[in-house]
Short mmCIF file of all heavy atoms in Angstrom, two decimals:
data_model
loop_
_atom_site.label_atom_id
_atom_site.label_comp_id
_atom_site.label_asym_id
_atom_site.label_seq_id
_atom_site.Cartn_x
_atom_site.Cartn_y
_atom_site.Cartn_z
N ARG K 191 -138.01 39.76 91.03
CA ARG K 191 -138.55 39.89 89.67
C ARG K 191 -139.91 40.62 89.74
O ARG K 191 -140.18 41.52 88.96
CB ARG K 191 -138.70 38.50 89.06
CG ARG K 191 -139.21 38.42 87.65
CD ARG K 191 -138.16 38.85 86.66
NE ARG K 191 -138.71 39.89 85.80
CZ ARG K 191 -138.05 40.43 84.78
NH1 ARG K 191 -136.82 40.05 84.51
NH2 ARG K 191 -138.60 41.36 84.05
N GLU K 192 -140.73 40.21 90.69
CA GLU K 192 -142.04 40.84 90.86
C GLU K 192 -141.91 42.33 91.15
O GLU K 192 -142.59 43.16 90.55
CB GLU K 192 -142.77 40.21 92.06
CG GLU K 192 -143.73 39.10 91.71
CD GLU K 192 -144.29 38.52 93.00
OE1 GLU K 192 -144.80 39.28 93.85
OE2 GLU K 192 -144.19 37.29 93.14
N ILE K 193 -141.02 42.65 92.11
CA ILE K 193 -140.81 44.05 92.48
C ILE K 193 -140.35 44.83 91.27
O ILE K 193 -140.79 45.94 91.02
CB ILE K 193 -139.75 44.14 93.60
CG1 ILE K 193 -140.26 43.44 94.83
CG2 ILE K 193 -139.34 45.57 93.85
CD1 ILE K 193 -140.42 44.30 96.02
N HIS K 194 -139.45 44.23 90.50
CA HIS K 194 -138.94 44.91 89.32
C HIS K 194 -140.06 45.16 88.32
O HIS K 194 -140.18 46.24 87.75
CB HIS K 194 -137.82 44.11 88.67
CG HIS K 194 -137.30 44.75 87.43
ND1 HIS K 194 -137.74 44.41 86.18
CD2 HIS K 194 -136.43 45.77 87.25
CE1 HIS K 194 -137.14 45.17 85.29
NE2 HIS K 194 -136.33 46.00 85.91
N ASP K 195 -140.89 44.15 88.10
CA ASP K 195 -141.99 44.32 87.16
C ASP K 195 -142.93 45.42 87.62
O ASP K 195 -143.50 46.15 86.81
CB ASP K 195 -142.76 43.00 87.00
CG ASP K 195 -141.92 41.97 86.27
OD1 ASP K 195 -140.89 42.36 85.68
OD2 ASP K 195 -142.28 40.78 86.30
N ARG K 196 -143.10 45.51 88.94
CA ARG K 196 -144.04 46.50 89.46
C ARG K 196 -143.46 47.92 89.43
O ARG K 196 -144.15 48.87 89.12
CB ARG K 196 -144.43 46.13 90.90
CG ARG K 196 -145.74 46.74 91.26
CD ARG K 196 -146.55 46.04 92.34
NE ARG K 196 -146.06 44.82 92.91
CZ ARG K 196 -146.07 44.59 94.23
NH1 ARG K 196 -146.48 45.51 95.06
NH2 ARG K 196 -145.69 43.43 94.68
N THR K 197 -142.17 48.06 89.77
CA THR K 197 -141.60 49.41 89.87
C THR K 197 -140.93 49.87 88.57
O THR K 197 -140.75 51.06 88.37
CB THR K 197 -140.54 49.47 90.99
OG1 THR K 197 -139.53 48.51 90.69
CG2 THR K 197 -141.13 49.16 92.34
N GLY K 198 -140.54 48.93 87.72
CA GLY K 198 -139.87 49.32 86.48
C GLY K 198 -138.53 49.98 86.70
O GLY K 198 -138.01 50.71 85.86
N GLN K 199 -137.93 49.70 87.86
CA GLN K 199 -136.66 50.29 88.25
C GLN K 199 -135.51 49.69 87.44
O GLN K 199 -135.39 48.47 87.36
CB GLN K 199 -136.46 49.98 89.73
CG GLN K 199 -135.17 50.40 90.31
CD GLN K 199 -135.19 51.87 90.64
OE1 GLN K 199 -136.07 52.34 91.35
NE2 GLN K 199 -134.24 52.59 90.09
N THR K 200 -134.69 50.52 86.83
CA THR K 200 -133.49 50.01 86.16
C THR K 200 -132.61 49.32 87.20
O THR K 200 -132.30 49.91 88.23
CB THR K 200 -132.69 51.16 85.52
OG1 THR K 200 -133.57 51.94 84.73
CG2 THR K 200 -131.55 50.64 84.68
N THR K 201 -132.26 48.07 86.94
CA THR K 201 -131.57 47.29 87.97
C THR K 201 -130.40 46.52 87.36
O THR K 201 -130.54 45.93 86.29
CB THR K 201 -132.55 46.28 88.62
OG1 THR K 201 -133.68 46.97 89.10
CG2 THR K 201 -131.88 45.52 89.74
N ILE K 202 -129.26 46.57 88.04
CA ILE K 202 -128.12 45.74 87.63
C ILE K 202 -127.78 44.85 88.82
O ILE K 202 -127.65 45.34 89.94
CB ILE K 202 -126.89 46.59 87.29
CG1 ILE K 202 -127.24 47.66 86.26
CG2 ILE K 202 -125.75 45.71 86.78
CD1 ILE K 202 -126.10 48.60 85.96
N PHE K 203 -127.66 43.56 88.60
CA PHE K 203 -127.23 42.73 89.71
C PHE K 203 -126.10 41.80 89.30
O PHE K 203 -126.01 41.36 88.17
CB PHE K 203 -128.39 42.00 90.38
CG PHE K 203 -128.89 40.79 89.65
CD1 PHE K 203 -128.52 39.51 90.07
CD2 PHE K 203 -129.73 40.92 88.57
CE1 PHE K 203 -129.00 38.40 89.41
CE2 PHE K 203 -130.21 39.80 87.90
CZ PHE K 203 -129.85 38.54 88.32
N VAL K 204 -125.22 41.58 90.27
CA VAL K 204 -124.03 40.78 90.06
C VAL K 204 -124.29 39.38 90.60
O VAL K 204 -124.86 39.23 91.68
CB VAL K 204 -122.83 41.41 90.81
CG1 VAL K 204 -121.77 40.39 91.09
CG2 VAL K 204 -122.26 42.56 90.01
N THR K 205 -123.90 38.37 89.84
CA THR K 205 -124.06 37.02 90.35
C THR K 205 -123.04 36.10 89.69
O THR K 205 -122.54 36.39 88.61
CB THR K 205 -125.48 36.48 90.11
OG1 THR K 205 -125.59 35.17 90.64
CG2 THR K 205 -125.83 36.45 88.64
N HIS K 206 -122.71 35.01 90.38
CA HIS K 206 -121.87 34.01 89.73
C HIS K 206 -122.71 32.76 89.44
O HIS K 206 -122.20 31.75 88.99
CB HIS K 206 -120.67 33.65 90.60
CG HIS K 206 -121.05 33.07 91.92
ND1 HIS K 206 -121.09 33.81 93.07
CD2 HIS K 206 -121.46 31.83 92.25
CE1 HIS K 206 -121.49 33.03 94.06
NE2 HIS K 206 -121.72 31.83 93.58
N ASP K 207 -124.02 32.87 89.72
CA ASP K 207 -124.92 31.73 89.57
C ASP K 207 -125.67 31.87 88.25
O ASP K 207 -126.53 32.75 88.11
CB ASP K 207 -125.88 31.74 90.77
CG ASP K 207 -126.85 30.58 90.73
OD1 ASP K 207 -127.07 30.01 89.64
OD2 ASP K 207 -127.40 30.24 91.79
N GLN K 208 -125.35 31.02 87.26
CA GLN K 208 -125.96 31.20 85.94
C GLN K 208 -127.47 31.00 85.98
O GLN K 208 -128.21 31.69 85.27
CB GLN K 208 -125.30 30.29 84.90
CG GLN K 208 -125.44 28.82 85.13
CD GLN K 208 -124.35 28.28 86.04
OE1 GLN K 208 -123.64 29.05 86.68
NE2 GLN K 208 -124.22 26.97 86.13
N ASP K 209 -127.95 30.11 86.84
CA ASP K 209 -129.40 29.89 86.94
C ASP K 209 -130.10 31.17 87.35
O ASP K 209 -131.13 31.55 86.80
CB ASP K 209 -129.70 28.83 88.01
CG ASP K 209 -129.63 27.44 87.41
OD1 ASP K 209 -129.62 27.35 86.16
OD2 ASP K 209 -129.57 26.47 88.17
N GLU K 210 -129.51 31.83 88.36
CA GLU K 210 -130.07 33.06 88.86
C GLU K 210 -130.14 34.11 87.75
O GLU K 210 -131.16 34.75 87.54
CB GLU K 210 -129.17 33.56 89.99
CG GLU K 210 -129.81 34.52 90.94
CD GLU K 210 -128.94 34.64 92.18
OE1 GLU K 210 -128.97 33.72 93.00
OE2 GLU K 210 -128.22 35.64 92.29
N ALA K 211 -129.04 34.23 87.01
CA ALA K 211 -128.97 35.23 85.94
C ALA K 211 -129.99 34.92 84.85
O ALA K 211 -130.71 35.79 84.38
CB ALA K 211 -127.57 35.27 85.36
N LEU K 212 -130.09 33.64 84.47
CA LEU K 212 -130.96 33.27 83.36
C LEU K 212 -132.43 33.38 83.74
O LEU K 212 -133.26 33.76 82.94
CB LEU K 212 -130.64 31.84 82.90
CG LEU K 212 -129.23 31.67 82.32
CD1 LEU K 212 -128.95 30.20 82.04
CD2 LEU K 212 -129.06 32.50 81.06
N GLU K 213 -132.73 33.07 85.02
CA GLU K 213 -134.12 33.11 85.44
C GLU K 213 -134.62 34.54 85.60
O GLU K 213 -135.74 34.88 85.25
CB GLU K 213 -134.29 32.38 86.79
CG GLU K 213 -135.71 32.46 87.31
CD GLU K 213 -135.87 31.87 88.70
OE1 GLU K 213 -135.04 31.03 89.08
OE2 GLU K 213 -136.83 32.24 89.38
N LEU K 214 -133.74 35.40 86.14
CA LEU K 214 -134.18 36.68 86.65
C LEU K 214 -134.10 37.81 85.62
O LEU K 214 -134.94 38.71 85.61
CB LEU K 214 -133.29 37.03 87.84
CG LEU K 214 -133.90 37.80 88.98
CD1 LEU K 214 -135.18 37.14 89.41
CD2 LEU K 214 -132.91 37.80 90.15
N SER K 215 -133.12 37.77 84.74
CA SER K 215 -132.77 39.00 84.04
C SER K 215 -133.45 39.14 82.69
O SER K 215 -133.87 38.17 82.07
CB SER K 215 -131.26 39.06 83.86
OG SER K 215 -130.85 37.94 83.11
N ASP K 216 -133.53 40.40 82.23
CA ASP K 216 -133.94 40.69 80.86
C ASP K 216 -132.77 40.43 79.92
O ASP K 216 -132.94 39.90 78.84
CB ASP K 216 -134.37 42.15 80.72
CG ASP K 216 -135.59 42.45 81.57
OD1 ASP K 216 -136.49 41.58 81.62
OD2 ASP K 216 -135.64 43.53 82.19
N ARG K 217 -131.59 40.87 80.38
CA ARG K 217 -130.38 40.61 79.60
C ARG K 217 -129.26 40.16 80.53
O ARG K 217 -129.23 40.53 81.70
CB ARG K 217 -129.93 41.87 78.85
CG ARG K 217 -130.86 42.23 77.70
CD ARG K 217 -130.19 43.20 76.74
NE ARG K 217 -129.72 44.40 77.40
CZ ARG K 217 -128.76 45.18 76.90
NH1 ARG K 217 -128.17 44.87 75.77
NH2 ARG K 217 -128.40 46.27 77.54
N VAL K 218 -128.36 39.37 79.98
CA VAL K 218 -127.23 38.87 80.76
C VAL K 218 -125.95 39.40 80.12
O VAL K 218 -125.80 39.32 78.90
CB VAL K 218 -127.19 37.33 80.75
CG1 VAL K 218 -126.04 36.82 81.58
CG2 VAL K 218 -128.50 36.74 81.21
N ALA K 219 -125.05 39.94 80.95
CA ALA K 219 -123.73 40.31 80.45
C ALA K 219 -122.74 39.32 81.05
O ALA K 219 -122.59 39.26 82.27
CB ALA K 219 -123.38 41.73 80.85
N VAL K 220 -122.09 38.53 80.20
CA VAL K 220 -121.14 37.54 80.71
C VAL K 220 -119.75 38.17 80.71
O VAL K 220 -119.27 38.62 79.67
CB VAL K 220 -121.16 36.26 79.85
CG1 VAL K 220 -120.22 35.23 80.45
CG2 VAL K 220 -122.57 35.71 79.75
N LEU K 221 -119.13 38.22 81.89
CA LEU K 221 -117.80 38.79 82.04
C LEU K 221 -116.79 37.69 82.29
O LEU K 221 -117.08 36.71 82.98
CB LEU K 221 -117.77 39.77 83.21
CG LEU K 221 -118.07 41.24 82.92
CD1 LEU K 221 -119.48 41.40 82.43
CD2 LEU K 221 -117.84 42.06 84.16
N SER K 222 -115.61 37.89 81.73
CA SER K 222 -114.54 36.94 82.02
C SER K 222 -113.22 37.67 82.00
O SER K 222 -112.92 38.40 81.05
CB SER K 222 -114.56 35.84 80.96
OG SER K 222 -113.40 35.06 81.09
N ARG K 223 -112.46 37.53 83.03
CA ARG K 223 -111.15 38.16 83.19
C ARG K 223 -111.17 39.64 82.79
O ARG K 223 -110.34 40.09 82.03
CB ARG K 223 -110.09 37.39 82.44
CG ARG K 223 -109.59 36.22 83.30
CD ARG K 223 -108.60 35.36 82.58
NE ARG K 223 -109.25 34.30 81.84
CZ ARG K 223 -108.93 33.94 80.60
NH1 ARG K 223 -107.98 34.54 79.95
NH2 ARG K 223 -109.55 32.95 80.02
N GLY K 224 -112.15 40.36 83.28
CA GLY K 224 -112.18 41.81 83.08
C GLY K 224 -112.67 42.25 81.71
O GLY K 224 -112.61 43.43 81.38
N ARG K 225 -113.15 41.31 80.92
CA ARG K 225 -113.67 41.68 79.59
C ARG K 225 -115.11 41.24 79.47
O ARG K 225 -115.52 40.26 80.09
CB ARG K 225 -112.84 41.00 78.50
CG ARG K 225 -111.43 41.52 78.42
CD ARG K 225 -110.77 41.04 77.14
NE ARG K 225 -109.52 41.75 76.92
CZ ARG K 225 -108.36 41.39 77.45
NH1 ARG K 225 -108.30 40.34 78.22
NH2 ARG K 225 -107.27 42.09 77.21
N LEU K 226 -115.86 41.98 78.64
CA LEU K 226 -117.23 41.58 78.36
C LEU K 226 -117.20 40.54 77.25
O LEU K 226 -116.78 40.82 76.13
CB LEU K 226 -118.05 42.80 77.91
CG LEU K 226 -119.52 42.51 77.58
CD1 LEU K 226 -120.28 42.11 78.82
CD2 LEU K 226 -120.16 43.73 76.93
N GLU K 227 -117.62 39.32 77.56
CA GLU K 227 -117.61 38.27 76.54
C GLU K 227 -118.82 38.41 75.64
O GLU K 227 -118.73 38.29 74.43
CB GLU K 227 -117.63 36.89 77.22
CG GLU K 227 -116.33 36.53 77.90
CD GLU K 227 -115.30 35.98 76.93
OE1 GLU K 227 -115.69 35.43 75.89
OE2 GLU K 227 -114.08 36.09 77.22
#
Side-chain angles (χ1 to χ4, degrees):
Chain K
R191 182 74 233 184
E192 264 176 52
I193 296 242
H194 178 264
D195 291 346
R196 203 154 357 135
T197 58
Q199 175 80 54
T200 309
T201 305
I202 307 175
F203 78 101
V204 157
T205 181
H206 61 261
D207 181 339
Q208 63 274 13
D209 274 345
E210 201 165 284
L212 296 173
E213 177 186 337
L214 214 50
S215 60
D216 296 321
R217 289 197 304 158
V218 181
V220 183
L221 269 64
S222 170
R223 276 176 271 137
R225 292 192 168 85
L226 180 67
E227 288 278 334

